[in-house]
Amino acid sequence: MIKYNPAIISNNITLKILGLICMLASSYAYSQNIPQNSVYQLNSTWLDQNANKRTLSSFSGKKQVISLIYTHCLHTCPTIVSTMQAIENKLSETEKQDVGFILVSLTPDTDTPAVLKEFAQSRKLNLQNWSLLTGTPQDVRSLAMVLNIKFQNIDNNEVNHSNLMTGLDEQGRIKFQELGVINNAAIAAEKLANF
Protein backbone atom coordinates (compact mmCIF):
# COMPACT_ATOMS: atom_id res chain seq x y z
CA MET A 1 0.00 0.00 0.00
CA ILE A 2 1.37 3.42 -1.00
CA LYS A 3 1.25 6.14 1.62
CA TYR A 4 1.03 9.75 0.52
CA ASN A 5 2.69 12.47 2.48
CA PRO A 6 0.30 15.47 2.46
CA ALA A 7 3.19 17.90 3.02
CA ILE A 8 5.00 16.72 -0.13
CA ILE A 9 1.81 16.81 -2.21
CA SER A 10 1.05 20.29 -0.91
CA ASN A 11 4.60 21.45 -1.77
CA ASN A 12 4.36 20.02 -5.31
CA ILE A 13 1.05 21.76 -5.92
CA THR A 14 2.45 25.01 -4.52
CA LEU A 15 5.50 24.76 -6.81
CA LYS A 16 3.28 24.13 -9.83
CA ILE A 17 1.09 27.09 -8.99
CA LEU A 18 4.13 29.32 -8.46
CA GLY A 19 5.56 28.14 -11.80
CA LEU A 20 2.29 28.98 -13.54
CA ILE A 21 2.17 32.41 -11.91
CA CYS A 22 5.77 33.12 -12.99
CA MET A 23 5.00 32.03 -16.54
CA LEU A 24 1.90 34.23 -16.72
CA ALA A 25 3.74 37.17 -15.16
CA SER A 26 6.63 36.92 -17.65
CA SER A 27 4.15 36.62 -20.53
CA TYR A 28 2.32 39.71 -19.23
CA ALA A 29 5.61 41.60 -18.81
CA TYR A 30 6.63 40.68 -22.36
CA SER A 31 3.30 41.91 -23.74
CA GLN A 32 3.82 45.13 -21.77
CA ASN A 33 7.15 45.65 -23.57
CA ILE A 34 5.37 45.68 -26.93
CA PRO A 35 3.97 49.17 -27.59
CA GLN A 36 0.21 49.42 -27.97
CA ASN A 37 0.63 50.78 -31.53
CA SER A 38 2.79 47.83 -32.59
CA VAL A 39 1.84 45.39 -35.33
CA TYR A 40 3.34 42.79 -32.98
CA GLN A 41 0.27 43.13 -30.73
CA LEU A 42 -1.51 40.83 -33.20
CA ASN A 43 -1.75 37.47 -31.53
CA SER A 44 -1.41 35.14 -34.52
CA THR A 45 0.77 32.18 -35.40
CA TRP A 46 2.23 31.82 -38.88
CA LEU A 47 4.26 29.22 -40.75
CA ASP A 48 7.45 30.33 -42.46
CA GLN A 49 9.09 28.87 -45.56
CA ASN A 50 10.65 26.14 -43.40
CA ALA A 51 7.28 25.24 -41.81
CA ASN A 52 8.44 26.74 -38.49
CA LYS A 53 5.75 28.38 -36.36
CA ARG A 54 6.36 32.11 -35.98
CA THR A 55 4.61 34.94 -34.21
CA LEU A 56 4.94 38.46 -35.50
CA SER A 57 6.59 39.46 -32.23
CA SER A 58 9.42 37.02 -33.05
CA PHE A 59 10.59 39.63 -35.57
CA SER A 60 11.15 42.27 -32.88
CA GLY A 61 14.65 43.60 -32.38
CA LYS A 62 15.26 44.42 -36.06
CA LYS A 63 13.70 46.88 -38.44
CA GLN A 64 11.46 45.11 -40.95
CA VAL A 65 10.08 45.83 -44.38
CA ILE A 66 6.84 43.90 -44.81
CA SER A 67 4.51 43.41 -47.74
CA LEU A 68 1.59 41.17 -48.63
CA ILE A 69 1.95 39.28 -51.90
CA TYR A 70 1.14 35.90 -53.43
CA THR A 71 3.63 33.69 -55.18
CA HIS A 72 1.75 33.01 -58.44
CA CYS A 73 1.02 36.70 -59.06
CA LEU A 74 2.24 37.91 -62.45
CA HIS A 75 1.52 41.61 -62.04
CA THR A 76 2.10 43.68 -58.91
CA CYS A 77 3.84 41.17 -56.65
CA PRO A 78 7.00 40.64 -58.73
CA THR A 79 7.48 44.42 -58.71
CA ILE A 80 7.04 44.62 -54.93
CA VAL A 81 9.58 41.83 -54.38
CA SER A 82 12.06 43.42 -56.82
CA THR A 83 11.67 46.74 -55.03
CA MET A 84 12.31 45.12 -51.64
CA GLN A 85 15.40 43.42 -53.10
CA ALA A 86 16.56 46.81 -54.41
CA ILE A 87 16.12 48.26 -50.92
CA GLU A 88 18.22 45.43 -49.51
CA ASN A 89 20.93 46.08 -52.11
CA LYS A 90 21.06 49.78 -51.18
CA LEU A 91 21.78 49.01 -47.52
CA SER A 92 25.33 48.83 -46.21
CA GLU A 93 26.53 45.52 -44.78
CA THR A 94 26.08 46.95 -41.27
CA GLU A 95 22.54 48.15 -42.04
CA LYS A 96 21.62 44.74 -43.51
CA GLN A 97 22.30 43.17 -40.11
CA ASP A 98 19.60 45.39 -38.59
CA VAL A 99 16.90 44.97 -41.26
CA GLY A 100 14.69 42.03 -42.17
CA PHE A 101 12.25 41.53 -45.02
CA ILE A 102 8.90 39.79 -44.60
CA LEU A 103 6.55 38.60 -47.33
CA VAL A 104 3.11 37.46 -46.20
CA SER A 105 0.93 35.40 -48.55
CA LEU A 106 -2.46 36.69 -49.60
CA THR A 107 -3.35 33.18 -50.82
CA PRO A 108 -2.52 31.02 -47.80
CA ASP A 109 -4.51 28.04 -49.07
CA THR A 110 -2.08 27.53 -51.94
CA ASP A 111 1.07 29.26 -50.66
CA THR A 112 2.24 26.43 -48.43
CA PRO A 113 5.65 26.57 -46.74
CA ALA A 114 7.07 24.40 -49.55
CA VAL A 115 5.70 26.79 -52.20
CA LEU A 116 7.10 29.78 -50.29
CA LYS A 117 10.52 28.13 -50.07
CA GLU A 118 10.54 27.39 -53.80
CA PHE A 119 9.51 31.00 -54.48
CA ALA A 120 12.33 32.30 -52.25
CA GLN A 121 14.84 30.14 -54.13
CA SER A 122 13.56 31.18 -57.55
CA ARG A 123 13.77 34.87 -56.57
CA LYS A 124 17.22 34.33 -54.98
CA LEU A 125 16.10 35.75 -51.63
CA ASN A 126 18.72 35.61 -48.90
CA LEU A 127 16.88 33.67 -46.21
CA GLN A 128 19.23 35.08 -43.57
CA ASN A 129 17.34 38.37 -44.05
CA TRP A 130 14.03 37.26 -45.57
CA SER A 131 11.03 35.45 -44.07
CA LEU A 132 8.02 34.27 -46.03
CA LEU A 133 4.86 33.62 -44.05
CA THR A 134 1.56 31.88 -44.57
CA GLY A 135 -1.32 31.80 -42.11
CA THR A 136 -5.06 31.51 -41.82
CA PRO A 137 -7.25 33.72 -44.01
CA GLN A 138 -8.48 35.46 -40.83
CA ASP A 139 -4.92 36.25 -39.70
CA VAL A 140 -4.04 37.55 -43.16
CA ARG A 141 -7.13 39.79 -43.09
CA SER A 142 -6.27 41.11 -39.60
CA LEU A 143 -2.69 41.91 -40.59
CA ALA A 144 -3.87 43.58 -43.80
CA MET A 145 -6.26 45.75 -41.81
CA VAL A 146 -3.52 46.84 -39.39
CA LEU A 147 -1.20 47.67 -42.31
CA ASN A 148 -4.02 49.36 -44.25
CA ILE A 149 -3.59 46.91 -47.13
CA LYS A 150 -6.76 46.51 -49.11
CA PHE A 151 -7.31 43.27 -50.99
CA GLN A 152 -10.08 41.31 -52.62
CA ASN A 153 -10.03 37.71 -53.77
CA ILE A 154 -11.23 37.28 -57.34
CA ASP A 155 -11.59 34.31 -59.70
CA ASN A 156 -8.90 31.66 -60.25
CA ASN A 157 -7.12 32.26 -56.92
CA GLU A 158 -6.11 35.76 -58.00
CA VAL A 159 -6.12 38.77 -55.69
CA ASN A 160 -6.54 42.49 -56.30
CA HIS A 161 -4.48 44.25 -53.63
CA SER A 162 -2.68 47.39 -52.52
CA ASN A 163 0.88 47.75 -53.74
CA LEU A 164 2.40 48.87 -50.43
CA MET A 165 5.56 48.13 -48.49
CA THR A 166 5.58 49.01 -44.80
CA GLY A 167 8.65 49.86 -42.72
CA LEU A 168 8.49 48.76 -39.08
CA ASP A 169 10.83 49.78 -36.29
CA GLU A 170 12.44 47.29 -33.92
CA GLN A 171 9.24 47.13 -31.86
CA GLY A 172 6.89 46.67 -34.80
CA ARG A 173 5.60 50.24 -35.04
CA ILE A 174 4.81 51.52 -38.53
CA LYS A 175 7.38 54.15 -39.51
CA PHE A 176 6.60 54.53 -43.23
CA GLN A 177 4.68 53.13 -46.15
CA GLU A 178 5.73 53.39 -49.78
CA LEU A 179 4.35 52.08 -53.03
CA GLY A 180 6.22 48.94 -54.04
CA VAL A 181 7.76 50.34 -57.21
CA ILE A 182 11.46 50.39 -58.08
CA ASN A 183 11.65 54.21 -58.02
CA ASN A 184 10.84 54.11 -54.29
CA ALA A 185 13.67 51.76 -53.30
CA ALA A 186 16.15 54.57 -52.58
CA ILE A 187 13.54 56.55 -50.62
CA ALA A 188 12.64 53.51 -48.51
CA ALA A 189 16.32 52.64 -47.87
CA GLU A 190 16.96 56.21 -46.70
CA LYS A 191 13.94 56.12 -44.40
CA LEU A 192 15.14 52.81 -42.93
CA ALA A 193 18.52 54.37 -42.16
CA ASN A 194 16.95 57.33 -40.38
CA PHE A 195 14.75 55.79 -37.70
Side-chain angles (χ1 to χ4, degrees):
M1 181 174 184
I2 299 173
K3 290 189 177 182
Y4 294 101
N5 184 334
I8 292 174
I9 293 171
S10 177
N11 284 342
N12 284 341
I13 292 171
T14 302
L15 287 174
K16 287 180 182 178
I17 291 171
L18 284 173
L20 180 61
I21 290 170
C22 288
M23 184 179 75
L24 291 173
S26 65
S27 174
Y28 176 77
Y30 176 73
S31 69
Q32 296 305 301
N33 290 332
I34 298 174
Q36 290 299 309
N37 60 343
S38 172
V39 172
Y40 300 156
Q41 287 285 346
L42 288 176
N43 186 19
S44 49
T45 302
W46 305 80
L47 290 177
D48 69 12
Q49 69 278 355
N50 296 314
N52 295 320
K53 289 184 179 180
R54 300 287 304 263
T55 60
L56 293 176
S57 61
S58 71
F59 293 100
S60 65
K62 289 176 78 167
K63 299 174 187 179
Q64 302 289 335
V65 179
I66 185 170
S67 191
L68 279 66
I69 63 142
Y70 58 106
T71 61
H72 58 278
C73 174
L74 300 175
H75 311 289
T76 306
C77 301
T79 304
I80 293 170
V81 176
S82 294
T83 303
M84 290 172 70
Q85 287 176 296
I87 294 167
E88 181 181 30
N89 291 334
K90 290 183 182 304
L91 299 175
S92 70
E93 289 306 312
T94 303
E95 290 170 330
K96 284 179 186 177
Q97 294 174 15
D98 297 326
V99 178
F101 296 87
I102 305 170
L103 298 174
V104 178
S105 174
L106 287 165
T107 56
D109 292 339
T110 53
D111 279 342
T112 63
V115 170
L116 294 176
K117 189 165 197 167
E118 184 178 315
F119 178 81
Q121 291 168 344
S122 71
R123 290 301 306 245
K124 297 181 174 48
L125 303 179
N126 176 357
L127 294 179
Q128 297 295 323
N129 296 336
W130 290 73
S131 296
L132 289 77
L133 304 178
T134 188
T136 68
Q138 295 83 5
D139 288 338
V140 172
R141 179 71 60 190
S142 295
L143 178 59
M145 289 173 61
V146 168
L147 297 176
N148 199 27
I149 305 290
K150 296 178 178 30
F151 73 95
Q152 180 179 16
N153 296 313
I154 54 176
D155 295 336
N156 301 321
N157 201 29
E158 297 291 322
V159 182
N160 285 334
H161 62 94
S162 305
N163 180 16
L164 284 177
M165 306 173 302
T166 303
L168 304 176
D169 71 8
E170 294 86 349
Q171 294 181 301
R173 293 173 292 197
I174 297 173
K175 299 306 274 187
F176 70 85
Q177 287 192 304
E178 291 290 340
L179 287 176
V181 294
I182 290 293
N183 291 345
N184 287 339
I187 296 166
E190 185 177 338
K191 287 182 177 181
L192 278 171
N194 290 315
F195 70 78

mmCIF file of all heavy atoms in Angstrom, residues 138-171:
data_model
loop_
_atom_site.group_PDB
_atom_site.id
_atom_site.type_symbol
_atom_site.label_atom_id
_atom_site.label_comp_id
_atom_site.label_asym_id
_atom_site.label_seq_id
_atom_site.Cartn_x
_atom_site.Cartn_y
_atom_site.Cartn_z
ATOM 1 N N GLN A 138 -8.100 34.448 -41.831
ATOM 2 C CA GLN A 138 -8.481 35.456 -40.831
ATOM 3 C C GLN A 138 -7.260 36.252 -40.357
ATOM 4 O O GLN A 138 -7.333 37.471 -40.182
ATOM 5 C CB GLN A 138 -9.170 34.797 -39.629
ATOM 6 C CG GLN A 138 -10.487 34.133 -39.940
ATOM 7 C CD GLN A 138 -10.315 32.715 -40.514
ATOM 8 O OE1 GLN A 138 -9.210 32.180 -40.605
ATOM 9 N NE2 GLN A 138 -11.423 32.119 -40.925
ATOM 10 N N ASP A 139 -6.131 35.554 -40.139
ATOM 11 C CA ASP A 139 -4.924 36.247 -39.699
ATOM 12 C C ASP A 139 -4.379 37.166 -40.790
ATOM 13 O O ASP A 139 -3.894 38.262 -40.513
ATOM 14 C CB ASP A 139 -3.855 35.242 -39.252
ATOM 15 C CG ASP A 139 -4.212 34.573 -37.930
ATOM 16 O OD1 ASP A 139 -5.021 35.143 -37.171
ATOM 17 O OD2 ASP A 139 -3.679 33.482 -37.666
ATOM 18 N N VAL A 140 -4.466 36.710 -42.034
ATOM 19 C CA VAL A 140 -4.036 37.553 -43.156
ATOM 20 C C VAL A 140 -4.902 38.812 -43.206
ATOM 21 O O VAL A 140 -4.397 39.926 -43.348
ATOM 22 C CB VAL A 140 -4.098 36.774 -44.487
ATOM 23 C CG1 VAL A 140 -3.833 37.706 -45.669
ATOM 24 C CG2 VAL A 140 -3.105 35.618 -44.483
ATOM 25 N N ARG A 141 -6.200 38.641 -43.049
ATOM 26 C CA ARG A 141 -7.126 39.787 -43.086
ATOM 27 C C ARG A 141 -6.822 40.754 -41.948
ATOM 28 O O ARG A 141 -6.782 41.970 -42.145
ATOM 29 C CB ARG A 141 -8.565 39.267 -43.001
ATOM 30 C CG ARG A 141 -9.643 40.325 -43.007
ATOM 31 C CD ARG A 141 -9.856 41.027 -44.313
ATOM 32 N NE ARG A 141 -10.223 40.141 -45.399
ATOM 33 C CZ ARG A 141 -10.273 40.515 -46.669
ATOM 34 N NH1 ARG A 141 -9.986 41.761 -47.001
ATOM 35 N NH2 ARG A 141 -10.596 39.666 -47.617
ATOM 36 N N SER A 142 -6.573 40.240 -40.745
ATOM 37 C CA SER A 142 -6.269 41.107 -39.597
ATOM 38 C C SER A 142 -4.985 41.897 -39.832
ATOM 39 O O SER A 142 -4.937 43.105 -39.564
ATOM 40 C CB SER A 142 -6.132 40.271 -38.323
ATOM 41 O OG SER A 142 -7.352 39.674 -37.993
ATOM 42 N N LEU A 143 -3.947 41.224 -40.323
ATOM 43 C CA LEU A 143 -2.687 41.914 -40.591
ATOM 44 C C LEU A 143 -2.881 42.959 -41.677
ATOM 45 O O LEU A 143 -2.381 44.088 -41.554
ATOM 46 C CB LEU A 143 -1.603 40.912 -40.993
ATOM 47 C CG LEU A 143 -0.240 41.498 -41.339
ATOM 48 C CD1 LEU A 143 0.349 42.291 -40.159
ATOM 49 C CD2 LEU A 143 0.718 40.400 -41.788
ATOM 50 N N ALA A 144 -3.610 42.621 -42.714
ATOM 51 C CA ALA A 144 -3.866 43.579 -43.798
ATOM 52 C C ALA A 144 -4.579 44.816 -43.267
ATOM 53 O O ALA A 144 -4.246 45.950 -43.653
ATOM 54 C CB ALA A 144 -4.684 42.915 -44.906
ATOM 55 N N MET A 145 -5.535 44.612 -42.376
ATOM 56 C CA MET A 145 -6.258 45.753 -41.814
ATOM 57 C C MET A 145 -5.323 46.654 -41.019
ATOM 58 O O MET A 145 -5.378 47.877 -41.140
ATOM 59 C CB MET A 145 -7.416 45.266 -40.949
ATOM 60 C CG MET A 145 -8.547 44.665 -41.760
ATOM 61 S SD MET A 145 -9.824 43.905 -40.743
ATOM 62 C CE MET A 145 -10.392 45.281 -39.777
ATOM 63 N N VAL A 146 -4.448 46.052 -40.205
ATOM 64 C CA VAL A 146 -3.519 46.840 -39.395
ATOM 65 C C VAL A 146 -2.556 47.625 -40.287
ATOM 66 O O VAL A 146 -2.194 48.764 -39.987
ATOM 67 C CB VAL A 146 -2.742 45.913 -38.423
ATOM 68 C CG1 VAL A 146 -1.576 46.632 -37.784
ATOM 69 C CG2 VAL A 146 -3.679 45.379 -37.356
ATOM 70 N N LEU A 147 -2.140 47.010 -41.402
ATOM 71 C CA LEU A 147 -1.197 47.668 -42.314
ATOM 72 C C LEU A 147 -1.896 48.534 -43.356
ATOM 73 O O LEU A 147 -1.237 49.120 -44.218
ATOM 74 C CB LEU A 147 -0.339 46.612 -43.025
ATOM 75 C CG LEU A 147 0.573 45.767 -42.131
ATOM 76 C CD1 LEU A 147 1.282 44.700 -42.959
ATOM 77 C CD2 LEU A 147 1.573 46.635 -41.382
ATOM 78 N N ASN A 148 -3.222 48.606 -43.294
ATOM 79 C CA ASN A 148 -4.022 49.357 -44.249
ATOM 80 C C ASN A 148 -3.813 48.863 -45.683
ATOM 81 O O ASN A 148 -3.730 49.649 -46.627
ATOM 82 C CB ASN A 148 -3.753 50.864 -44.149
ATOM 83 C CG ASN A 148 -4.859 51.678 -44.781
ATOM 84 O OD1 ASN A 148 -6.002 51.245 -44.851
ATOM 85 N ND2 ASN A 148 -4.511 52.849 -45.289
ATOM 86 N N ILE A 149 -3.703 47.535 -45.825
ATOM 87 C CA ILE A 149 -3.591 46.907 -47.133
ATOM 88 C C ILE A 149 -4.974 46.429 -47.533
ATOM 89 O O ILE A 149 -5.592 45.633 -46.822
ATOM 90 C CB ILE A 149 -2.626 45.687 -47.104
ATOM 91 C CG1 ILE A 149 -1.258 46.081 -46.570
ATOM 92 C CG2 ILE A 149 -2.543 45.019 -48.470
ATOM 93 C CD1 ILE A 149 -0.448 46.957 -47.454
ATOM 94 N N LYS A 150 -5.451 46.923 -48.638
ATOM 95 C CA LYS A 150 -6.762 46.510 -49.112
ATOM 96 C C LYS A 150 -6.569 45.385 -50.123
ATOM 97 O O LYS A 150 -5.692 45.447 -50.973
ATOM 98 C CB LYS A 150 -7.490 47.690 -49.721
ATOM 99 C CG LYS A 150 -7.760 48.768 -48.668
ATOM 100 C CD LYS A 150 -8.433 49.968 -49.217
ATOM 101 C CE LYS A 150 -8.753 51.016 -48.205
ATOM 102 N NZ LYS A 150 -7.912 51.144 -47.056
ATOM 103 N N PHE A 151 -7.380 44.340 -50.003
ATOM 104 C CA PHE A 151 -7.311 43.268 -50.993
ATOM 105 C C PHE A 151 -8.666 42.602 -51.152
ATOM 106 O O PHE A 151 -9.512 42.668 -50.264
ATOM 107 C CB PHE A 151 -6.223 42.247 -50.639
ATOM 108 C CG PHE A 151 -6.539 41.333 -49.491
ATOM 109 C CD1 PHE A 151 -7.088 40.073 -49.706
ATOM 110 C CD2 PHE A 151 -6.273 41.713 -48.178
ATOM 111 C CE1 PHE A 151 -7.358 39.220 -48.642
ATOM 112 C CE2 PHE A 151 -6.538 40.864 -47.116
ATOM 113 C CZ PHE A 151 -7.093 39.618 -47.350
ATOM 114 N N GLN A 152 -8.833 42.012 -52.324
ATOM 115 C CA GLN A 152 -10.081 41.309 -52.621
ATOM 116 C C GLN A 152 -9.742 40.087 -53.460
ATOM 117 O O GLN A 152 -9.059 40.196 -54.491
ATOM 118 C CB GLN A 152 -11.031 42.227 -53.397
ATOM 119 C CG GLN A 152 -12.335 41.576 -53.752
ATOM 120 C CD GLN A 152 -13.255 42.529 -54.492
ATOM 121 O OE1 GLN A 152 -12.831 43.563 -54.996
ATOM 122 N NE2 GLN A 152 -14.528 42.182 -54.564
ATOM 123 N N ASN A 153 -10.212 38.931 -53.006
ATOM 124 C CA ASN A 153 -10.033 37.710 -53.771
ATOM 125 C C ASN A 153 -10.961 37.735 -54.971
ATOM 126 O O ASN A 153 -12.129 38.121 -54.849
ATOM 127 C CB ASN A 153 -10.331 36.480 -52.908
ATOM 128 C CG ASN A 153 -9.349 36.348 -51.766
ATOM 129 O OD1 ASN A 153 -8.150 36.457 -51.949
ATOM 130 N ND2 ASN A 153 -9.860 36.130 -50.575
ATOM 131 N N ILE A 154 -10.425 37.348 -56.122
ATOM 132 C CA ILE A 154 -11.233 37.279 -57.342
ATOM 133 C C ILE A 154 -11.114 35.865 -57.899
ATOM 134 O O ILE A 154 -10.595 34.975 -57.246
ATOM 135 C CB ILE A 154 -10.804 38.367 -58.356
ATOM 136 C CG1 ILE A 154 -9.299 38.289 -58.652
ATOM 137 C CG2 ILE A 154 -11.167 39.750 -57.852
ATOM 138 C CD1 ILE A 154 -8.831 39.274 -59.706
ATOM 139 N N ASP A 155 -11.578 35.650 -59.107
ATOM 140 C CA ASP A 155 -11.594 34.306 -59.701
ATOM 141 C C ASP A 155 -10.193 33.736 -59.877
ATOM 142 O O ASP A 155 -9.207 34.464 -59.978
ATOM 143 C CB ASP A 155 -12.297 34.345 -61.069
ATOM 144 C CG ASP A 155 -13.771 34.699 -60.938
ATOM 145 O OD1 ASP A 155 -14.336 34.461 -59.857
ATOM 146 O OD2 ASP A 155 -14.337 35.213 -61.921
ATOM 147 N N ASN A 156 -10.128 32.406 -59.947
ATOM 148 C CA ASN A 156 -8.896 31.656 -60.251
ATOM 149 C C ASN A 156 -7.767 31.908 -59.261
ATOM 150 O O ASN A 156 -6.601 31.969 -59.655
ATOM 151 C CB ASN A 156 -8.424 31.956 -61.679
ATOM 152 C CG ASN A 156 -9.471 31.587 -62.710
ATOM 153 O OD1 ASN A 156 -10.135 30.572 -62.578
ATOM 154 N ND2 ASN A 156 -9.630 32.428 -63.714
ATOM 155 N N ASN A 157 -8.120 32.079 -57.982
ATOM 156 C CA ASN A 157 -7.122 32.257 -56.919
ATOM 157 C C ASN A 157 -6.250 33.493 -57.144
ATOM 158 O O ASN A 157 -5.096 33.538 -56.745
ATOM 159 C CB ASN A 157 -6.252 30.998 -56.778
ATOM 160 C CG ASN A 157 -5.574 30.915 -55.423
ATOM 161 O OD1 ASN A 157 -6.080 31.409 -54.422
ATOM 162 N ND2 ASN A 157 -4.405 30.299 -55.388
ATOM 163 N N GLU A 158 -6.795 34.488 -57.799
ATOM 164 C CA GLU A 158 -6.105 35.758 -58.003
ATOM 165 C C GLU A 158 -6.607 36.756 -56.960
ATOM 166 O O GLU A 158 -7.687 36.600 -56.391
ATOM 167 C CB GLU A 158 -6.360 36.300 -59.416
ATOM 168 C CG GLU A 158 -5.816 35.415 -60.529
ATOM 169 C CD GLU A 158 -4.295 35.396 -60.569
ATOM 170 O OE1 GLU A 158 -3.673 36.442 -60.336
ATOM 171 O OE2 GLU A 158 -3.732 34.318 -60.829
ATOM 172 N N VAL A 159 -5.794 37.797 -56.729
ATOM 173 C CA VAL A 159 -6.124 38.775 -55.692
ATOM 174 C C VAL A 159 -5.815 40.178 -56.202
ATOM 175 O O VAL A 159 -4.718 40.440 -56.704
ATOM 176 C CB VAL A 159 -5.290 38.527 -54.404
ATOM 177 C CG1 VAL A 159 -5.689 39.517 -53.310
ATOM 178 C CG2 VAL A 159 -5.445 37.096 -53.908
ATOM 179 N N ASN A 160 -6.794 41.068 -56.097
ATOM 180 C CA ASN A 160 -6.537 42.492 -56.301
ATOM 181 C C ASN A 160 -6.089 43.041 -54.956
ATOM 182 O O ASN A 160 -6.754 42.804 -53.936
ATOM 183 C CB ASN A 160 -7.804 43.230 -56.744
ATOM 184 C CG ASN A 160 -8.152 42.963 -58.192
ATOM 185 O OD1 ASN A 160 -7.288 42.650 -58.997
ATOM 186 N ND2 ASN A 160 -9.434 43.062 -58.518
ATOM 187 N N HIS A 161 -4.963 43.781 -54.924
ATOM 188 C CA HIS A 161 -4.475 44.251 -53.627
ATOM 189 C C HIS A 161 -3.639 45.521 -53.755
ATOM 190 O O HIS A 161 -3.133 45.855 -54.824
ATOM 191 C CB HIS A 161 -3.654 43.158 -52.941
ATOM 192 C CG HIS A 161 -2.420 42.743 -53.685
ATOM 193 N ND1 HIS A 161 -1.182 43.293 -53.431
ATOM 194 C CD2 HIS A 161 -2.238 41.835 -54.673
ATOM 195 C CE1 HIS A 161 -0.291 42.729 -54.238
ATOM 196 N NE2 HIS A 161 -0.900 41.849 -54.993
ATOM 197 N N SER A 162 -3.506 46.196 -52.608
ATOM 198 C CA SER A 162 -2.675 47.388 -52.523
ATOM 199 C C SER A 162 -1.223 47.022 -52.785
ATOM 200 O O SER A 162 -0.761 45.940 -52.412
ATOM 201 C CB SER A 162 -2.772 48.019 -51.134
ATOM 202 O OG SER A 162 -4.101 48.291 -50.797
ATOM 203 N N ASN A 163 -0.521 47.949 -53.388
ATOM 204 C CA ASN A 163 0.882 47.751 -53.740
ATOM 205 C C ASN A 163 1.750 48.519 -52.747
ATOM 206 O O ASN A 163 2.443 49.459 -53.104
ATOM 207 C CB ASN A 163 1.078 48.272 -55.169
ATOM 208 C CG ASN A 163 2.493 48.138 -55.659
ATOM 209 O OD1 ASN A 163 3.288 47.403 -55.086
ATOM 210 N ND2 ASN A 163 2.823 48.866 -56.698
ATOM 211 N N LEU A 164 1.693 48.119 -51.465
ATOM 212 C CA LEU A 164 2.397 48.868 -50.433
ATOM 213 C C LEU A 164 3.461 48.032 -49.738
ATOM 214 O O LEU A 164 3.279 46.836 -49.521
ATOM 215 C CB LEU A 164 1.419 49.359 -49.358
ATOM 216 C CG LEU A 164 0.543 50.550 -49.688
ATOM 217 C CD1 LEU A 164 -0.411 50.835 -48.531
ATOM 218 C CD2 LEU A 164 1.363 51.781 -50.003
ATOM 219 N N MET A 165 4.549 48.695 -49.379
ATOM 220 C CA MET A 165 5.564 48.134 -48.486
ATOM 221 C C MET A 165 5.504 48.963 -47.212
ATOM 222 O O MET A 165 5.335 50.180 -47.268
ATOM 223 C CB MET A 165 6.971 48.289 -49.076
ATOM 224 C CG MET A 165 7.163 47.738 -50.456
ATOM 225 S SD MET A 165 8.805 48.175 -51.098
ATOM 226 C CE MET A 165 8.796 49.972 -51.032
ATOM 227 N N THR A 166 5.657 48.313 -46.088
ATOM 228 C CA THR A 166 5.584 49.006 -44.802
ATOM 229 C C THR A 166 6.891 48.817 -44.053
ATOM 230 O O THR A 166 7.386 47.696 -43.931
ATOM 231 C CB THR A 166 4.423 48.442 -43.955
ATOM 232 O OG1 THR A 166 3.200 48.554 -44.690
ATOM 233 C CG2 THR A 166 4.300 49.181 -42.633
ATOM 234 N N GLY A 167 7.452 49.911 -43.549
ATOM 235 C CA GLY A 167 8.652 49.860 -42.721
ATOM 236 C C GLY A 167 8.263 49.863 -41.253
ATOM 237 O O GLY A 167 7.492 50.721 -40.808
ATOM 238 N N LEU A 168 8.761 48.873 -40.521
ATOM 239 C CA LEU A 168 8.491 48.763 -39.085
ATOM 240 C C LEU A 168 9.765 48.997 -38.306
ATOM 241 O O LEU A 168 10.847 48.568 -38.734
ATOM 242 C CB LEU A 168 7.971 47.354 -38.742
ATOM 243 C CG LEU A 168 6.740 46.851 -39.484
ATOM 244 C CD1 LEU A 168 6.442 45.408 -39.084
ATOM 245 C CD2 LEU A 168 5.538 47.742 -39.217
ATOM 246 N N ASP A 169 9.653 49.643 -37.152
ATOM 247 C CA ASP A 169 10.826 49.784 -36.291
ATOM 248 C C ASP A 169 11.051 48.489 -35.521
ATOM 249 O O ASP A 169 10.333 47.501 -35.707
ATOM 250 C CB ASP A 169 10.726 51.014 -35.385
ATOM 251 C CG ASP A 169 9.693 50.884 -34.272
ATOM 252 O OD1 ASP A 169 9.119 49.785 -34.068
ATOM 253 O OD2 ASP A 169 9.453 51.895 -33.582
ATOM 254 N N GLU A 170 12.051 48.498 -34.646
ATOM 255 C CA GLU A 170 12.438 47.286 -33.924
ATOM 256 C C GLU A 170 11.325 46.730 -33.035
ATOM 257 O O GLU A 170 11.356 45.568 -32.644
ATOM 258 C CB GLU A 170 13.683 47.559 -33.062
ATOM 259 C CG GLU A 170 14.933 47.865 -33.856
ATOM 260 C CD GLU A 170 15.097 49.326 -34.246
ATOM 261 O OE1 GLU A 170 14.136 50.123 -34.081
ATOM 262 O OE2 GLU A 170 16.184 49.693 -34.734
ATOM 263 N N GLN A 171 10.346 47.565 -32.711
ATOM 264 C CA GLN A 171 9.241 47.126 -31.857
ATOM 265 C C GLN A 171 7.941 46.937 -32.640
ATOM 266 O O GLN A 171 6.883 46.771 -32.058
ATOM 267 C CB GLN A 171 9.044 48.123 -30.712
ATOM 268 C CG GLN A 171 10.227 48.151 -29.758
ATOM 269 C CD GLN A 171 9.996 49.116 -28.628
ATOM 270 O OE1 GLN A 171 9.795 50.312 -28.851
ATOM 271 N NE2 GLN A 171 9.991 48.605 -27.410
#
